[in-house]
Amino acid sequence: MSYVPQAVQNYQRKSCEGLSIWLFLLSLLGNTTYALAILVVSLDPHYLAPYVPWLMGALVPCVIQMFILYQFHTVVW
């Protein structure tokens, strides 16, 4: 959730100046692989139920990070 203020600020300024695209790419990669590490063990709901907080903690930031990468794409390139 810490990326939400950054996404709002980028939108308001219409700029991604000062941000490292590598930070967001590597963070997205890390969160994605973390979620996949949980999901590849089993997709059984009884197995996944205790891991829901960890999955949400990894996948929700992925959505926000993809939005910021979209902002990089539309603003910078």
Side-chain angles (χ1 to χ4, degrees):
M1 299 311 293
S2 62
Y3 295 116
V4 173
Q6 185 64 57
V8 171
Q9 183 180 23
N10 293 348
Y11 178 76
Q12 290 172 342
R13 292 187 317 172
K14 305 289 187 234
S15 171
C16 294
E17 183 180 346
L19 293 180
S20 170
I21 193 167
W22 289 107
L23 168 80
F24 291 97
L25 286 172
L26 292 174
S27 183
L28 179 63
L29 179 65
N31 283 330
T32 303
T33 55
Y34 181 71
L36 286 174
I38 295 171
L39 295 173
V40 296
V41 174
S42 176
L43 293 177
D44 179 41
H46 296 306
Y47 169 78
L48 290 176
Y51 294 104
V52 168
W54 287 279
L55 285 170
M56 295 302 292
L59 295 175
V60 170
C62 284
V63 173
I64 300 166
Q65 291 161 350
M66 286 189 286
F67 179 72
I68 291 175
L69 289 173
Y70 171 76
Q71 289 177 327
F72 267 106
H73 177 69
T74 59
V75 172
V76 177
W77 289 310

